[in-house]
Amino acid sequence: MKIDIGIEKPARKAIADGLSRLLADEYTLYLKTHNFHWNVTGPMFNTLHLMFETHYTEAALAVDLVAERIRALGFPAPGTYQQFAALSSIKEEGGVPDATTMIKQLVLGHETCVRTAREVFPAAEGASDEPSCDLLTQRMQLHEKTAWMLRSLLE
Ligand SMILES: [Fe+2]
């Protein structure tokens, strides 16, 4: 059936494309956070191991909301590592950095997610797509808060 939700197809496509880039950032950051949960070492092990678990658990739920919003707008959600690598602005970590470097990388990752969400927002707002605006606002709020918490560990 044709989609008739009061947002024309080109606008839905622009929003879905933006949300796909956000999904790729979120998924890449999810994997990086889980990776660091497994591989972190040093005197802050317990703190960071548990903190990273909190963060990747939240991310695992969030990627589902972003992907399903793309589907509700009428487009397929990217769902392979190949697509995520092509769409994401977050660089993967090939090695095992020290704990401080892990924290710095995660701050950069959360800030990247915030910037991507903020870039997508005008397309959603311009099309009166309140559900996407709401989702983007929630993601920005979460990532800005998490970036602050991680940044505080470095002071
Ligand atoms: Fe675990």
Side-chain angles (χ1 to χ4, degrees):
M1 275 180 71
K2 262 190 81 184
I3 297 175
D4 185 13
I5 58 170
I7 307 171
E8 294 302 321
K9 190 174 181 183
R12 282 190 281 110
K13 173 88 167 84
I15 299 161
D17 285 348
L19 290 175
S20 295
R21 291 195 293 114
L22 179 63
L23 177 58
D25 283 349
E26 297 268 9
Y27 213 97
T28 305
L29 183 58
Y30 158 79
L31 182 59
K32 181 175 282 201
T33 305
H34 213 153
N35 173 354
F36 291 174
H37 164 82
W38 295 323
N39 290 307
V40 69
T41 55
M44 285 169 71
F45 173 83
N46 205 42
T47 303
L48 296 178
H49 182 69
L50 295 174
M51 190 184 194
F52 295 165
E53 180 169 345
T54 305
H55 294 170
Y56 78 68
T57 302
E58 192 281 334
L61 299 172
V63 292
D64 195 53
L65 298 177
V66 178
E68 290 181 357
R69 184 64 199 153
I70 296 167
R71 294 296 299 126
L73 289 167
F75 295 90
T80 66
Y81 287 117
Q82 202 174 17
Q83 285 171 302
F84 290 148
L87 289 166
S88 178
S89 305
I90 297 172
K91 271 210 303 201
E92 291 195 283
E93 170 57 60
V96 181
D98 61 40
T100 302
T101 307
M102 284 182 178
I103 296 166
K104 285 179 182 169
Q105 280 200 32
L106 293 174
V107 170
L108 295 176
H110 285 281
E111 288 178 345
T112 302
C113 286
V114 172
R115 288 196 306 275
T116 300
R118 193 157 268 127
E119 281 166 21
V120 183
F121 197 90
E125 194 176 34
S128 299
D129 180 358
E130 286 83 5
S132 294
C133 287
D134 180 51
L135 179 59
L136 290 165
T137 303
Q138 288 184 46
R139 295 319 297 154
M140 285 190 271
Q141 197 170 18
L142 183 285
H143 288 297
E144 287 178 2
K145 183 177 172 180
T146 309
W148 152 61
M149 288 179 165
L150 289 164
R151 225 182 274 118
S152 298
L153 292 165
L154 303 169
E155 286 169 7

mmCIF file with all atom_site columns, all heavy atoms in Angstrom, residues 8 14-15 25-26 28 38-39 48 74 93 106 108-109 130 134-135 140 144:
data_model
loop_
_atom_site.group_PDB
_atom_site.id
_atom_site.type_symbol
_atom_site.label_atom_id
_atom_site.label_alt_id
_atom_site.label_comp_id
_atom_site.label_asym_id
_atom_site.label_entity_id
_atom_site.label_seq_id
_atom_site.pdbx_PDB_ins_code
_atom_site.Cartn_x
_atom_site.Cartn_y
_atom_site.Cartn_z
_atom_site.occupancy
_atom_site.B_iso_or_equiv
_atom_site.pdbx_formal_charge
_atom_site.auth_seq_id
_atom_site.auth_comp_id
_atom_site.auth_asym_id
_atom_site.auth_atom_id
_atom_site.pdbx_PDB_model_num
ATOM 1   N N   . GLU A 1 8   ? 5.686  14.152 2.011  1.00 0.00 ? 8   GLU A N   1
ATOM 2   C CA  . GLU A 1 8   ? 5.950  13.713 0.632  1.00 0.00 ? 8   GLU A CA  1
ATOM 3   C C   . GLU A 1 8   ? 7.185  12.818 0.577  1.00 0.00 ? 8   GLU A C   1
ATOM 4   O O   . GLU A 1 8   ? 8.090  12.910 1.419  1.00 0.00 ? 8   GLU A O   1
ATOM 5   C CB  . GLU A 1 8   ? 6.144  14.937 -0.274 1.00 0.00 ? 8   GLU A CB  1
ATOM 6   C CG  . GLU A 1 8   ? 4.896  15.793 -0.452 1.00 0.00 ? 8   GLU A CG  1
ATOM 7   C CD  . GLU A 1 8   ? 3.702  15.020 -1.033 1.00 0.00 ? 8   GLU A CD  1
ATOM 8   O OE1 . GLU A 1 8   ? 3.920  14.177 -1.935 1.00 0.00 ? 8   GLU A OE1 1
ATOM 9   O OE2 . GLU A 1 8   ? 2.568  15.234 -0.571 1.00 0.00 ? 8   GLU A OE2 1
ATOM 10  N N   . ALA A 1 14  ? 14.841 12.039 2.312  1.00 0.00 ? 14  ALA A N   1
ATOM 11  C CA  . ALA A 1 14  ? 15.932 12.846 2.888  1.00 0.00 ? 14  ALA A CA  1
ATOM 12  C C   . ALA A 1 14  ? 16.092 12.538 4.380  1.00 0.00 ? 14  ALA A C   1
ATOM 13  O O   . ALA A 1 14  ? 17.220 12.396 4.878  1.00 0.00 ? 14  ALA A O   1
ATOM 14  C CB  . ALA A 1 14  ? 15.646 14.328 2.672  1.00 0.00 ? 14  ALA A CB  1
ATOM 15  N N   . ILE A 1 15  ? 14.974 12.409 5.080  1.00 0.00 ? 15  ILE A N   1
ATOM 16  C CA  . ILE A 1 15  ? 15.028 12.115 6.522  1.00 0.00 ? 15  ILE A CA  1
ATOM 17  C C   . ILE A 1 15  ? 15.581 10.698 6.739  1.00 0.00 ? 15  ILE A C   1
ATOM 18  O O   . ILE A 1 15  ? 16.444 10.474 7.591  1.00 0.00 ? 15  ILE A O   1
ATOM 19  C CB  . ILE A 1 15  ? 13.639 12.264 7.177  1.00 0.00 ? 15  ILE A CB  1
ATOM 20  C CG1 . ILE A 1 15  ? 13.127 13.701 7.022  1.00 0.00 ? 15  ILE A CG1 1
ATOM 21  C CG2 . ILE A 1 15  ? 13.692 11.877 8.646  1.00 0.00 ? 15  ILE A CG2 1
ATOM 22  C CD1 . ILE A 1 15  ? 11.612 13.855 7.221  1.00 0.00 ? 15  ILE A CD1 1
ATOM 23  N N   . ASP A 1 25  ? 26.364 5.464  12.604 1.00 0.00 ? 25  ASP A N   1
ATOM 24  C CA  . ASP A 1 25  ? 27.193 6.008  13.700 1.00 0.00 ? 25  ASP A CA  1
ATOM 25  C C   . ASP A 1 25  ? 26.867 5.301  15.014 1.00 0.00 ? 25  ASP A C   1
ATOM 26  O O   . ASP A 1 25  ? 27.767 4.914  15.764 1.00 0.00 ? 25  ASP A O   1
ATOM 27  C CB  . ASP A 1 25  ? 26.941 7.514  13.871 1.00 0.00 ? 25  ASP A CB  1
ATOM 28  C CG  . ASP A 1 25  ? 27.625 8.368  12.816 1.00 0.00 ? 25  ASP A CG  1
ATOM 29  O OD1 . ASP A 1 25  ? 28.466 7.838  12.059 1.00 0.00 ? 25  ASP A OD1 1
ATOM 30  O OD2 . ASP A 1 25  ? 27.311 9.573  12.752 1.00 0.00 ? 25  ASP A OD2 1
ATOM 31  N N   . GLU A 1 26  ? 25.591 5.146  15.289 1.00 0.00 ? 26  GLU A N   1
ATOM 32  C CA  . GLU A 1 26  ? 25.154 4.533  16.551 1.00 0.00 ? 26  GLU A CA  1
ATOM 33  C C   . GLU A 1 26  ? 25.648 3.083  16.639 1.00 0.00 ? 26  GLU A C   1
ATOM 34  O O   . GLU A 1 26  ? 26.093 2.633  17.688 1.00 0.00 ? 26  GLU A O   1
ATOM 35  C CB  . GLU A 1 26  ? 23.617 4.530  16.651 1.00 0.00 ? 26  GLU A CB  1
ATOM 36  C CG  . GLU A 1 26  ? 22.975 5.902  16.673 1.00 0.00 ? 26  GLU A CG  1
ATOM 37  C CD  . GLU A 1 26  ? 22.771 6.450  18.081 1.00 0.00 ? 26  GLU A CD  1
ATOM 38  O OE1 . GLU A 1 26  ? 23.270 5.854  19.038 1.00 0.00 ? 26  GLU A OE1 1
ATOM 39  O OE2 . GLU A 1 26  ? 22.110 7.497  18.194 1.00 0.00 ? 26  GLU A OE2 1
ATOM 40  N N   . THR A 1 28  ? 28.184 1.675  15.008 1.00 0.00 ? 28  THR A N   1
ATOM 41  C CA  . THR A 1 28  ? 29.644 1.639  15.100 1.00 0.00 ? 28  THR A CA  1
ATOM 42  C C   . THR A 1 28  ? 30.092 1.979  16.520 1.00 0.00 ? 28  THR A C   1
ATOM 43  O O   . THR A 1 28  ? 31.007 1.342  17.069 1.00 0.00 ? 28  THR A O   1
ATOM 44  C CB  . THR A 1 28  ? 30.260 2.621  14.081 1.00 0.00 ? 28  THR A CB  1
ATOM 45  O OG1 . THR A 1 28  ? 29.751 2.307  12.779 1.00 0.00 ? 28  THR A OG1 1
ATOM 46  C CG2 . THR A 1 28  ? 31.776 2.525  14.069 1.00 0.00 ? 28  THR A CG2 1
ATOM 47  N N   . TRP A 1 38  ? 35.046 -5.272 26.720 1.00 0.00 ? 38  TRP A N   1
ATOM 48  C CA  . TRP A 1 38  ? 35.777 -6.539 26.772 1.00 0.00 ? 38  TRP A CA  1
ATOM 49  C C   . TRP A 1 38  ? 37.271 -6.324 27.050 1.00 0.00 ? 38  TRP A C   1
ATOM 50  O O   . TRP A 1 38  ? 37.894 -7.098 27.767 1.00 0.00 ? 38  TRP A O   1
ATOM 51  C CB  . TRP A 1 38  ? 35.668 -7.287 25.420 1.00 0.00 ? 38  TRP A CB  1
ATOM 52  C CG  . TRP A 1 38  ? 34.295 -7.737 25.072 1.00 0.00 ? 38  TRP A CG  1
ATOM 53  C CD1 . TRP A 1 38  ? 33.338 -8.206 25.929 1.00 0.00 ? 38  TRP A CD1 1
ATOM 54  C CD2 . TRP A 1 38  ? 33.707 -7.755 23.754 1.00 0.00 ? 38  TRP A CD2 1
ATOM 55  N NE1 . TRP A 1 38  ? 32.198 -8.514 25.228 1.00 0.00 ? 38  TRP A NE1 1
ATOM 56  C CE2 . TRP A 1 38  ? 32.389 -8.258 23.892 1.00 0.00 ? 38  TRP A CE2 1
ATOM 57  C CE3 . TRP A 1 38  ? 34.150 -7.410 22.480 1.00 0.00 ? 38  TRP A CE3 1
ATOM 58  C CZ2 . TRP A 1 38  ? 31.535 -8.416 22.813 1.00 0.00 ? 38  TRP A CZ2 1
ATOM 59  C CZ3 . TRP A 1 38  ? 33.311 -7.561 21.400 1.00 0.00 ? 38  TRP A CZ3 1
ATOM 60  C CH2 . TRP A 1 38  ? 32.004 -8.054 21.571 1.00 0.00 ? 38  TRP A CH2 1
ATOM 61  N N   . ASN A 1 39  ? 37.854 -5.308 26.443 1.00 0.00 ? 39  ASN A N   1
ATOM 62  C CA  . ASN A 1 39  ? 39.319 -5.229 26.375 1.00 0.00 ? 39  ASN A CA  1
ATOM 63  C C   . ASN A 1 39  ? 39.963 -4.189 27.275 1.00 0.00 ? 39  ASN A C   1
ATOM 64  O O   . ASN A 1 39  ? 41.192 -4.072 27.284 1.00 0.00 ? 39  ASN A O   1
ATOM 65  C CB  . ASN A 1 39  ? 39.732 -4.971 24.916 1.00 0.00 ? 39  ASN A CB  1
ATOM 66  C CG  . ASN A 1 39  ? 39.474 -6.189 24.033 1.00 0.00 ? 39  ASN A CG  1
ATOM 67  O OD1 . ASN A 1 39  ? 39.932 -7.289 24.367 1.00 0.00 ? 39  ASN A OD1 1
ATOM 68  N ND2 . ASN A 1 39  ? 38.747 -6.017 22.948 1.00 0.00 ? 39  ASN A ND2 1
ATOM 69  N N   . LEU A 1 48  ? 35.188 1.232  34.455 1.00 0.00 ? 48  LEU A N   1
ATOM 70  C CA  . LEU A 1 48  ? 34.986 1.378  33.005 1.00 0.00 ? 48  LEU A CA  1
ATOM 71  C C   . LEU A 1 48  ? 34.249 0.180  32.419 1.00 0.00 ? 48  LEU A C   1
ATOM 72  O O   . LEU A 1 48  ? 33.377 0.343  31.556 1.00 0.00 ? 48  LEU A O   1
ATOM 73  C CB  . LEU A 1 48  ? 36.332 1.594  32.301 1.00 0.00 ? 48  LEU A CB  1
ATOM 74  C CG  . LEU A 1 48  ? 37.048 2.894  32.690 1.00 0.00 ? 48  LEU A CG  1
ATOM 75  C CD1 . LEU A 1 48  ? 38.396 2.999  31.977 1.00 0.00 ? 48  LEU A CD1 1
ATOM 76  C CD2 . LEU A 1 48  ? 36.187 4.116  32.376 1.00 0.00 ? 48  LEU A CD2 1
ATOM 77  N N   . GLY A 1 74  ? 9.145  4.451  5.219  1.00 0.00 ? 74  GLY A N   1
ATOM 78  C CA  . GLY A 1 74  ? 8.964  3.766  3.943  1.00 0.00 ? 74  GLY A CA  1
ATOM 79  C C   . GLY A 1 74  ? 10.236 3.334  3.238  1.00 0.00 ? 74  GLY A C   1
ATOM 80  O O   . GLY A 1 74  ? 10.197 3.023  2.041  1.00 0.00 ? 74  GLY A O   1
ATOM 81  N N   . GLU A 1 93  ? 38.389 1.160  15.712 1.00 0.00 ? 93  GLU A N   1
ATOM 82  C CA  . GLU A 1 93  ? 39.689 0.988  16.362 1.00 0.00 ? 93  GLU A CA  1
ATOM 83  C C   . GLU A 1 93  ? 40.167 -0.432 16.108 1.00 0.00 ? 93  GLU A C   1
ATOM 84  O O   . GLU A 1 93  ? 39.515 -1.380 16.527 1.00 0.00 ? 93  GLU A O   1
ATOM 85  C CB  . GLU A 1 93  ? 39.539 1.263  17.873 1.00 0.00 ? 93  GLU A CB  1
ATOM 86  C CG  . GLU A 1 93  ? 40.745 0.898  18.702 1.00 0.00 ? 93  GLU A CG  1
ATOM 87  C CD  . GLU A 1 93  ? 42.015 1.601  18.237 1.00 0.00 ? 93  GLU A CD  1
ATOM 88  O OE1 . GLU A 1 93  ? 42.035 2.831  18.245 1.00 0.00 ? 93  GLU A OE1 1
ATOM 89  O OE2 . GLU A 1 93  ? 42.992 0.904  17.856 1.00 0.00 ? 93  GLU A OE2 1
ATOM 90  N N   . LEU A 1 106 ? 35.680 7.319  22.837 1.00 0.00 ? 106 LEU A N   1
ATOM 91  C CA  . LEU A 1 106 ? 34.229 7.241  23.059 1.00 0.00 ? 106 LEU A CA  1
ATOM 92  C C   . LEU A 1 106 ? 33.613 8.634  23.146 1.00 0.00 ? 106 LEU A C   1
ATOM 93  O O   . LEU A 1 106 ? 32.510 8.850  22.630 1.00 0.00 ? 106 LEU A O   1
ATOM 94  C CB  . LEU A 1 106 ? 33.920 6.414  24.310 1.00 0.00 ? 106 LEU A CB  1
ATOM 95  C CG  . LEU A 1 106 ? 34.283 4.914  24.191 1.00 0.00 ? 106 LEU A CG  1
ATOM 96  C CD1 . LEU A 1 106 ? 34.072 4.206  25.526 1.00 0.00 ? 106 LEU A CD1 1
ATOM 97  C CD2 . LEU A 1 106 ? 33.482 4.223  23.085 1.00 0.00 ? 106 LEU A CD2 1
ATOM 98  N N   . LEU A 1 108 ? 34.683 11.225 21.495 1.00 0.00 ? 108 LEU A N   1
ATOM 99  C CA  . LEU A 1 108 ? 34.602 11.644 20.085 1.00 0.00 ? 108 LEU A CA  1
ATOM 100 C C   . LEU A 1 108 ? 33.437 10.951 19.375 1.00 0.00 ? 108 LEU A C   1
ATOM 101 O O   . LEU A 1 108 ? 32.733 11.557 18.570 1.00 0.00 ? 108 LEU A O   1
ATOM 102 C CB  . LEU A 1 108 ? 35.917 11.338 19.358 1.00 0.00 ? 108 LEU A CB  1
ATOM 103 C CG  . LEU A 1 108 ? 37.152 12.105 19.846 1.00 0.00 ? 108 LEU A CG  1
ATOM 104 C CD1 . LEU A 1 108 ? 38.403 11.631 19.104 1.00 0.00 ? 108 LEU A CD1 1
ATOM 105 C CD2 . LEU A 1 108 ? 36.976 13.616 19.668 1.00 0.00 ? 108 LEU A CD2 1
ATOM 106 N N   . GLY A 1 109 ? 33.213 9.672  19.688 1.00 0.00 ? 109 GLY A N   1
ATOM 107 C CA  . GLY A 1 109 ? 32.122 8.923  19.072 1.00 0.00 ? 109 GLY A CA  1
ATOM 108 C C   . GLY A 1 109 ? 30.760 9.492  19.442 1.00 0.00 ? 109 GLY A C   1
ATOM 109 O O   . GLY A 1 109 ? 29.892 9.658  18.580 1.00 0.00 ? 109 GLY A O   1
ATOM 110 N N   . GLU A 1 130 ? 7.422  15.248 13.386 1.00 0.00 ? 130 GLU A N   1
ATOM 111 C CA  . GLU A 1 130 ? 7.646  15.343 14.827 1.00 0.00 ? 130 GLU A CA  1
ATOM 112 C C   . GLU A 1 130 ? 8.225  14.053 15.428 1.00 0.00 ? 130 GLU A C   1
ATOM 113 O O   . GLU A 1 130 ? 9.083  14.131 16.315 1.00 0.00 ? 130 GLU A O   1
ATOM 114 C CB  . GLU A 1 130 ? 6.354  15.743 15.564 1.00 0.00 ? 130 GLU A CB  1
ATOM 115 C CG  . GLU A 1 130 ? 5.966  17.203 15.393 1.00 0.00 ? 130 GLU A CG  1
ATOM 116 C CD  . GLU A 1 130 ? 5.195  17.476 14.101 1.00 0.00 ? 130 GLU A CD  1
ATOM 117 O OE1 . GLU A 1 130 ? 4.894  16.499 13.390 1.00 0.00 ? 130 GLU A OE1 1
ATOM 118 O OE2 . GLU A 1 130 ? 4.900  18.644 13.815 1.00 0.00 ? 130 GLU A OE2 1
ATOM 119 N N   . ASP A 1 134 ? 11.550 14.144 17.587 1.00 0.00 ? 134 ASP A N   1
ATOM 120 C CA  . ASP A 1 134 ? 11.563 13.664 18.968 1.00 0.00 ? 134 ASP A CA  1
ATOM 121 C C   . ASP A 1 134 ? 12.691 12.647 19.174 1.00 0.00 ? 134 ASP A C   1
ATOM 122 O O   . ASP A 1 134 ? 13.457 12.730 20.145 1.00 0.00 ? 134 ASP A O   1
ATOM 123 C CB  . ASP A 1 134 ? 10.205 13.036 19.296 1.00 0.00 ? 134 ASP A CB  1
ATOM 124 C CG  . ASP A 1 134 ? 10.140 12.521 20.724 1.00 0.00 ? 134 ASP A CG  1
ATOM 125 O OD1 . ASP A 1 134 ? 10.475 13.284 21.642 1.00 0.00 ? 134 ASP A OD1 1
ATOM 126 O OD2 . ASP A 1 134 ? 9.773  11.356 20.915 1.00 0.00 ? 134 ASP A OD2 1
ATOM 127 N N   . LEU A 1 135 ? 12.806 11.705 18.239 1.00 0.00 ? 135 LEU A N   1
ATOM 128 C CA  . LEU A 1 135 ? 13.852 10.687 18.321 1.00 0.00 ? 135 LEU A CA  1
ATOM 129 C C   . LEU A 1 135 ? 15.238 11.336 18.274 1.00 0.00 ? 135 LEU A C   1
ATOM 130 O O   . LEU A 1 135 ? 16.121 11.000 19.071 1.00 0.00 ? 135 LEU A O   1
ATOM 131 C CB  . LEU A 1 135 ? 13.685 9.686  17.165 1.00 0.00 ? 135 LEU A CB  1
ATOM 132 C CG  . LEU A 1 135 ? 14.698 8.555  17.043 1.00 0.00 ? 135 LEU A CG  1
ATOM 133 C CD1 . LEU A 1 135 ? 14.715 7.676  18.299 1.00 0.00 ? 135 LEU A CD1 1
ATOM 134 C CD2 . LEU A 1 135 ? 14.389 7.691  15.813 1.00 0.00 ? 135 LEU A CD2 1
ATOM 135 N N   . MET A 1 140 ? 20.309 13.180 20.789 1.00 0.00 ? 140 MET A N   1
ATOM 136 C CA  . MET A 1 140 ? 21.254 14.271 21.072 1.00 0.00 ? 140 MET A CA  1
ATOM 137 C C   . MET A 1 140 ? 21.441 14.432 22.575 1.00 0.00 ? 140 MET A C   1
ATOM 138 O O   . MET A 1 140 ? 22.565 14.573 23.071 1.00 0.00 ? 140 MET A O   1
ATOM 139 C CB  . MET A 1 140 ? 20.764 15.580 20.450 1.00 0.00 ? 140 MET A CB  1
ATOM 140 C CG  . MET A 1 140 ? 20.948 15.636 18.947 1.00 0.00 ? 140 MET A CG  1
ATOM 141 S SD  . MET A 1 140 ? 20.634 17.286 18.282 1.00 0.00 ? 140 MET A SD  1
ATOM 142 C CE  . MET A 1 140 ? 18.890 17.198 17.961 1.00 0.00 ? 140 MET A CE  1
ATOM 143 N N   . GLU A 1 144 ? 25.005 13.782 24.353 1.00 0.00 ? 144 GLU A N   1
ATOM 144 C CA  . GLU A 1 144 ? 25.672 14.930 24.992 1.00 0.00 ? 144 GLU A CA  1
ATOM 145 C C   . GLU A 1 144 ? 25.934 14.628 26.472 1.00 0.00 ? 144 GLU A C   1
ATOM 146 O O   . GLU A 1 144 ? 27.001 14.953 26.999 1.00 0.00 ? 144 GLU A O   1
ATOM 147 C CB  . GLU A 1 144 ? 24.816 16.199 24.836 1.00 0.00 ? 144 GLU A CB  1
ATOM 148 C CG  . GLU A 1 144 ? 24.845 16.730 23.417 1.00 0.00 ? 144 GLU A CG  1
ATOM 149 C CD  . GLU A 1 144 ? 23.976 17.965 23.206 1.00 0.00 ? 144 GLU A CD  1
ATOM 150 O OE1 . GLU A 1 144 ? 23.365 18.454 24.185 1.00 0.00 ? 144 GLU A OE1 1
ATOM 151 O OE2 . GLU A 1 144 ? 23.911 18.444 22.061 1.00 0.00 ? 144 GLU A OE2 1
#
